[in-house]
Amino acid sequence: MGMTISEKILAAHAGKKEVSPGDLIQARIDLALGNDITAPVAITEFARIGVDRVFDPEAIALVPDHFTPNKDINSAEQAKVLREFARKYQITHYFEVGRMGIEHCLLPEQGLVGPGDLIIGADSHTCTYGALGAFSTGVGSTDLAAAMAAGEVWLKVPPSIKFHFYGQLQPFVGGKDLILYTIGQIGVDGALYSAMEFTGETIASLGMDDRFTMANMAIEAGAKNGIFAVDERTIEYVTGRYKKPYTIYTSDPDAEYRLTYEWDVSTLEPQVALPHLPENVRPVREVGNIELQQVVIGSCTNGRLSDLRAAAQILKGHKIHRDLRLIIIPGTQEIYQQALREGLIEIFIDAGAAVSTPTCGPCLGGHMGILARGERALATTNRNFIGRMGHPESEVYLSSPVVAAASAVKGRIVHPEEVLKSA
Amino acid sequence: MLKGKVWRFGQDVDTDMIIPARYLNTSDPAVLAAHCFADVAPEFARQVVPGEIIVADKNFGCGSSREHAPLALKAAGISCVIAASFARIFYRNALNIGLPILESEAAAQEVKAGDLLQVDLAEGINTNLSSGRVYQTKPFPPFMRELINGGGLIPYLRQKLAGTGEV
């Protein structure tokens, strides 16, 4: 019986020749990740284990990105716990404010994750690294504590679901639209406990940033991980960044899938998720007249350089609507600097946007753009749950950066063509 | 054996509902418990009695990986959550901190708010004392029973590491 790419990576890390869906395994990890919300809980639990060192100081990444730069005294205390732990145990990959980025933008960029790796992170969007052909999944703080001590994690081998996309994408349609469409089709538990494997000619044509966006939102369909085959683009991305030798795994032709979806996406329009679940997806022209008070472009889903370039392409020469705030958050310092060099930040500020240092901030209603009662936001983030970005009676819509940028100009949710036509 | 009155919830109860992110600047279980379901069921934290049980529809605990969600429920006194299905990170977080959770579509369909439930974790037999209906759930594999009985992953790991003498 053949195995999928996910099964092969898990088998290799469990020291087994083969694994099947449903098997409970103890697996060796290549990297464990925590942030300023989840790591403090893990650090308390770590102390209870009673060991005096971490399993490998170079295989742990600690990124204070959620409530940083610290929004209040409590969050400052939490970040301090992280900082002191990192110093005490000489954690190599601790990223202080100013050198920091949103964790799932930062780790691939810094070369800490690569093809064939098994990565766990105490953050649900850890599934992002599947874009590189890694098995990467979100866990909780106690799992992180155990992994920091022992370098292992217990996992149930997930069944795989294949998503095959074919057809050439229309202008203004990309990875975000593909993943929103997918979640709209299968629902927020459509891939529960499963591995989502993205394949097909459309996928092969996507750049790495689009693939990160898609893998990132696998969790919004309930998946354990999202994963892509390694190709020339993957290798080009990791070359010069990822320093360790790596193994490229591929799904066997006779591998078993729980389900297979095949979609012709050649006529797909830009997609928007309506409140209050990421599965409430419609083409942008069918959402109706939705006036906005805030637009956020950034996050671990869409805070990468190509996202900022796409937004700038729309915003160049335009002013945003006078009744609206536009907040743009580059995902890492490196992305921020490159955006500066390319003149993107100037375009944003000229348009009337606020540009922030990297932070998860508004995505989870933490800080840097909280919504008041009755306010409505369009965001390039990943969740639109009740109260996600602020008041329980506020609303969040989700889209790609181009739709978000165009909508910021018009003050309501629009197709990007509306802005380009009026230019 | 657990026994408690039922709080009813629907489908796709997400972790932002269980504990909104604005309260995540602490990990103090008592503070988390005080804000549990603050936005969608503000009466919950005031009225919940230790030992009570949550019954919900599919995909309970979807969203974030925040362990603060099962911690808040446990600290609020919830003894067990029964749902048609669970989101996977919530599932492992709950077991890892020693909060029992059970999957039962039938219970999710039939049990009403205020019903009195009796849960036998060892046998997987769950009785609705208000209606007389019995729901069988799949007993956990030995590995997982050991983990839950030991009080979660950390005591389990502590014992395991002490047993082998290596990390």
Side-chain angles (χ1 to χ4, degrees):
Chain A
M1 178 59 65
M3 288 196 287
T4 65
I5 177 172
S6 295
E7 289 156 6
K8 285 184 182 179
I9 296 173
L10 291 178
H13 286 79
K16 291 175 185 290
K17 273 211 169 108
E18 55 178 54
V19 295
S20 308
D23 290 356
L24 269 177
I25 57 167
Q26 284 279 1
R28 176 182 56 77
I29 56 159
D30 296 298
L31 188 81
L33 162 72
N35 60 49
D36 53 315
I37 290 181
T38 58
V41 178
I43 288 165
T44 306
E45 295 301 310
F46 181 85
R48 287 176 58 211
I49 299 172
V51 291
D52 58 5
R53 61 193 171 89
V54 297
F55 86 104
D56 181 355
E58 292 191 18
I60 294 167
L62 295 175
V63 188
D65 58 357
H66 278 60
F67 293 159
T68 54
N70 290 129
K71 68 167 184 142
D72 57 19
I73 294 170
N74 280 346
S75 64
E77 297 289 348
Q78 295 211 108
K80 194 174 164 205
V81 170
L82 214 63
R83 189 176 298 123
E84 288 177 349
F85 180 87
R87 275 191 202 139
K88 181 174 175 187
Y89 293 98
Q90 301 180 335
I91 305 297
T92 319
H93 304 298
Y94 166 75
F95 297 91
E96 192 55 89
V97 168
R99 285 144 274 170
M100 179 271 285
I102 296 172
E103 51 197 349
H104 307 308
C105 298
L106 186 69
L107 266 50
E109 172 195 288
Q110 296 293 316
L112 300 184
V113 288
D117 279 356
L118 175 59
I119 304 136
I120 61 153
D123 186 276
S124 60
H125 293 108
T126 303
C127 50
T128 308
Y129 317 129
L132 295 168
F135 188 100
S136 189
T137 190
V139 296
S141 296
T142 299
D143 281 312
L144 174 61
M148 289 196 299
E152 285 188 348
V153 65
W154 68 266
L155 293 169
K156 194 154 120 180
V157 177
S160 292
I161 303 178
K162 189 189 278 188
F163 296 86
H164 188 95
F165 298 90
Y166 61 94
Q168 197 186 335
L169 294 173
Q170 295 290 318
F172 307 118
V173 176
K176 184 63 167 284
D177 305 292
L178 291 176
I179 192 65
L180 285 177
Y181 176 77
T182 302
I183 298 164
Q185 292 294 309
I186 69 172
V188 290
D189 64 346
L192 195 62
Y193 304 124
S194 305
M196 297 174 85
E197 189 172 320
F198 301 105
T199 67
E201 60 180 25
T202 317
I203 297 300
S205 72
L206 290 178
M208 285 312 300
D209 285 359
D210 284 277
R211 298 183 196 184
F212 284 123
T213 300
M214 292 184 70
N216 174 273
M217 287 190 73
I219 181 66
E220 309 319 331
K224 186 164 207 150
N225 66 311
I227 197 159
F228 292 71
V230 174
D231 63 10
E232 304 78 35
R233 287 178 198 234
T234 326
I235 291 167
E236 189 189 334
Y237 182 89
V238 296
T239 302
R241 297 179 194 270
Y242 189 73
K243 301 292 194 291
K244 293 187 280 184
Y246 57 84
T247 311
I248 296 173
Y249 296 93
T250 49
S251 293
D252 292 325
D254 61 341
E256 266 198 27
Y257 292 88
R258 183 162 79 80
L259 283 166
T260 297
Y261 294 95
E262 272 194 49
W263 290 313
D264 175 0
V265 288
S266 58
T267 57
L268 190 75
E269 282 216 20
Q271 305 282 301
V272 175
L274 281 59
H276 289 285
L277 281 176
E279 69 183 23
N280 298 332
V281 173
R282 282 187 216 163
V284 63
R285 291 188 220 267
E286 292 174 26
V287 300
N289 183 30
I290 304 293
E291 285 185 12
L292 301 166
Q293 286 75 48
Q294 181 167 297
V295 170
V296 175
I297 298 174
S299 83
C300 61
T301 313
N302 282 118
R304 298 183 181 80
L305 193 60
S306 63
D307 298 316
L308 300 185
R309 284 178 182 152
Q313 175 203 343
I314 301 284
L315 290 170
K316 189 169 188 179
H318 288 279
K319 295 282 182 201
I320 61 168
H321 193 274
R322 63 191 170 97
D323 298 328
L324 179 142
R325 296 98 57 184
L326 171 59
I327 298 163
I328 300 182
I329 308 179
T332 67
Q333 292 289 71
E334 193 176 304
I335 293 167
Y336 200 157
Q337 281 195 312
Q338 185 57 31
L340 268 171
R341 285 185 213 111
E342 294 184 15
L344 310 182
I345 303 296
E346 196 169 357
I347 292 171
F348 298 151
I349 294 174
D350 281 346
V355 182
S356 159
T357 195
T359 179
C360 307
C363 171
L364 74 162
H367 62 149
M368 281 301 295
I370 306 298
L371 300 174
R373 182 198 298 264
E375 285 192 325
R376 205 179 276 143
L378 177 63
T380 66
T381 57
N382 42 59
R383 290 190 178 128
N384 54 354
F385 300 151
I386 293 169
R388 174 74 180 177
M389 206 173 262
H391 196 279
E393 289 168 41
S394 60
E395 289 184 347
V396 180
Y397 291 69
L398 305 175
S399 79
S400 69
V402 277
V403 170
S407 302
V409 172
K410 292 291 179 185
R412 58 189 168 80
I413 298 179
V414 297
H415 192 291
E417 278 174 2
E418 268 198 50
V419 170
L420 293 189
K421 269 183 201 155
S422 64
Chain B
M1 195 84 77
L2 308 169
K3 198 192 281 187
K5 266 179 37 176
V6 167
W7 286 82
R8 254 325 297 225
F9 288 89
Q11 66 182 42
D12 304 321
V13 169
D14 63 65
T15 51
D16 282 88
M17 291 185 195
I18 299 170
I19 183 75
R22 62 183 179 278
Y23 302 117
L24 299 183
N25 58 4
T26 178
S27 49
D28 180 344
V31 178
L32 296 173
H35 299 295
C36 194
F37 290 115
D39 290 345
V40 293
E43 71 285 2
F44 177 87
R46 289 195 308 275
Q47 296 173 2
V48 65
V49 174
E52 288 184 334
I53 291 168
I54 286 176
V55 177
D57 295 323
K58 72 175 179 80
N59 203 27
F60 187 90
C62 65
S64 146
S65 68
R66 63 190 69 156
E67 204 160 295
H68 310 66
L71 279 174
L73 294 172
K74 195 180 176 190
I78 289 298
S79 66
C80 178
V81 183
I82 301 174
S85 64
F86 290 91
R88 55 158 293 272
I89 305 180
F90 182 90
Y91 186 85
R92 57 187 300 136
N93 283 347
L95 296 180
N96 282 343
I97 66 156
L99 173 68
I101 57 175
L102 301 168
E103 287 188 334
S104 170
E105 282 200 23
Q109 272 173 23
E110 296 176 6
V111 175
K112 295 183 183 65
D115 282 359
L116 190 62
L117 276 194
Q118 182 176 286
V119 174
D120 183 342
L121 290 174
E123 300 292 331
I125 295 170
N126 313 290
T127 312
N128 187 340
L129 299 173
S130 304
S131 70
R133 293 274 292 155
V134 175
Y135 306 102
Q136 178 77 45
T137 49
K138 211 158 83 181
F140 287 108
F143 160 76
M144 196 53 73
R145 267 209 308 276
E146 204 181 326
L147 196 148
I148 297 170
N149 290 341
L153 181 62
I154 296 302
Y156 172 80
L157 191 69
R158 193 166 53 208
Q159 202 178 4
K160 192 180 155 195
L161 293 178
T164 59
E166 59 178 56
V167 176

